Amino acid sequence: MTTTLGRPATPAAPPAARRRSGFTAMKRSKWRAIVLLLAPFLALYVLAYAIPLCYAVYESFFTEKRSGLGFGAPERVFAGFGNYVKALGMPEFTSGVWRVLLLGVVQVPLMLVIALLLALAIDALANRFAAFMRLVSFLPYAVPGVIAAILWAFLYLGGTSPFVRALQPLGVNLDFLSGGTILWSMANIITWTWTGYNMIIIYSALKAVPRELYEAAAMDGAGPIRTAWSIKIPLVAPALTLTGVFSIIGTVQLYNEPMLLRPFSPAIDANYTPNMTVQNVAFSLNDYGLAAAMAVLLALGTAVLSFGFMRLSGAMTARKAAN
């Protein structure tokens, strides 16, 4: 009699192990989807930002020297932090930095307050008026920045400016392109161009606020101003922080307005802003190491200002919520 022995059955995995296996597979699939969606952005970020920044840092530690009386062949030598020390010691560069900082301290808060007030006003209006107000407020942003600067240049010129002609009967002879006013003339252009853009961001955050909060506030007897101050503004604080960071970065990168107003104003020289100084050093003086050091310093300064503003905004929001 022959006895056939079958293969022993494989024990089934416990339910907990099967759940862990399914969770791991789902987690891997989720991470693959995230990586796939982020891949285009990461590729552009590395190619357009990370690699140029690393190359600028590398270039900032080198300089070129000529032998003899300066007529010999240029020799590339390691300069250490010499370019950074030289950049910080250049009055042209530091004065441009202080100039854009002054512009940012005055113009950025004013622009954000106007954008916030516009967003609150549009949110409180009826739908038919809100759509019209959004269009009118956003329309200046649709004008290209170069065209806007040229347009305002003719509005500032004494011979073509309606503002100058309106002030002359009052005995006021105001030159919008003089050394004392040109910075604020540029601030006006920036505010006119970007207020609508910031308003749309803040208004979008307002539309995401649940309407039940407004109804509860109205039942408690809160008026429109109290509701705006206690509910709307605290809830759109992240949007205000975002627009503030964008505005700080844009202020440090100020370039279009002074370059386009330069032919109209003798107060604007080749080193009026830090970006103009970097361009002048790189392409007029051919000192690429020094220009790279200036660019790195601007990047570091922008990062410090942006993160400092974010921390300050977060602390103020937390304090207001605690009170």
Side-chain angles (χ1 to χ4, degrees):
M1 182 174 179
T2 305
T3 304
T4 304
L5 298 177
R7 180 179 298 177
T10 303
R18 289 199 300 270
R19 285 196 299 270
R20 284 196 299 269
S21 177
F23 177 76
T24 303
M26 184 175 63
K27 192 173 182 180
R28 289 175 181 172
S29 176
K30 180 180 178 181
W31 275 107
R32 279 196 297 266
I34 292 174
V35 171
L36 183 62
L37 291 173
L38 288 178
F41 165 76
L42 292 176
L44 289 174
Y45 178 83
V46 171
L47 291 175
Y49 183 80
I51 293 178
L53 180 60
C54 293
Y55 181 71
V57 174
Y58 173 78
E59 282 290 321
S60 67
F61 290 106
F62 292 89
T63 187
E64 290 187 353
K65 290 186 177 180
R66 295 181 181 270
S67 59
L69 298 176
F71 299 101
E75 180 184 1
R76 183 179 173 86
V77 297
F78 181 74
F81 289 97
N83 286 325
Y84 292 92
V85 175
K86 186 177 180 181
L88 293 175
M90 287 184 63
E92 300 89 347
F93 180 68
T94 55
S95 62
V97 171
W98 286 114
R99 190 175 290 116
V100 296
L101 286 178
L102 174 62
L103 175 68
V105 168
V106 176
Q107 185 268 333
V108 170
L110 177 63
M111 178 178 62
L112 295 183
V113 168
I114 296 175
L116 175 62
L117 293 177
L118 280 174
L120 292 173
I122 293 173
D123 186 63
L125 291 174
N127 290 333
R128 56 181 179 177
F129 296 111
F132 175 75
M133 288 297 297
R134 286 200 308 269
L135 176 62
V136 172
S137 302
F138 189 73
L139 193 59
Y141 177 72
V143 179
V146 174
I147 303 300
I150 296 175
L151 171 67
W152 278 99
F154 285 100
L155 291 176
Y156 288 149
L157 282 173
T160 59
S161 173
F163 308 118
V164 173
R165 289 199 296 267
L167 293 173
Q168 282 177 349
L170 303 176
V172 178
N173 294 318
L174 183 60
D175 184 3
F176 292 99
L177 300 175
S178 65
T181 57
I182 185 61
L183 184 65
W184 311 117
S185 297
M186 286 188 286
N188 175 66
I189 299 175
I190 298 169
T191 304
W192 181 82
T193 304
W194 291 94
T195 298
Y197 173 83
N198 294 317
M199 180 274 298
I200 290 295
I201 297 177
I202 300 171
Y203 179 74
S204 300
L206 278 174
K207 298 301 290 184
V209 176
R211 295 292 157 177
E212 292 81 3
L213 295 177
Y214 302 155
E215 296 173 0
M219 292 178 62
D220 289 339
I225 297 179
R226 180 65 179 178
T227 301
W229 179 256
S230 300
I231 297 178
K232 294 183 178 182
I233 294 179
L235 290 178
V236 300
L240 285 170
T241 302
L242 178 65
T243 54
V245 171
F246 286 167
S247 301
I248 291 172
I249 296 173
T251 301
V252 177
Q253 294 177 345
L254 182 64
Y255 179 80
N256 287 340
E257 287 78 11
M259 284 296 294
L260 292 170
L261 292 178
R262 187 180 175 188
F264 303 94
S265 175
I268 302 176
D269 57 13
N271 302 301
Y272 192 78
T273 67
N275 274 359
M276 294 174 65
T277 305
V278 173
Q279 175 182 279
N280 185 44
V281 170
F283 299 109
S284 297
L285 304 180
N286 296 323
D287 195 339
Y288 300 108
L290 179 59
M294 291 179 176
V296 173
L297 288 173
L298 288 177
L300 291 175
T302 304
V304 170
L305 290 174
S306 300
F307 284 108
F309 177 78
M310 292 173 62
R311 292 291 300 272
L312 179 62
S313 300
M316 292 177 63
T317 303
R319 182 178 301 177
K320 185 175 179 61
N323 294 334

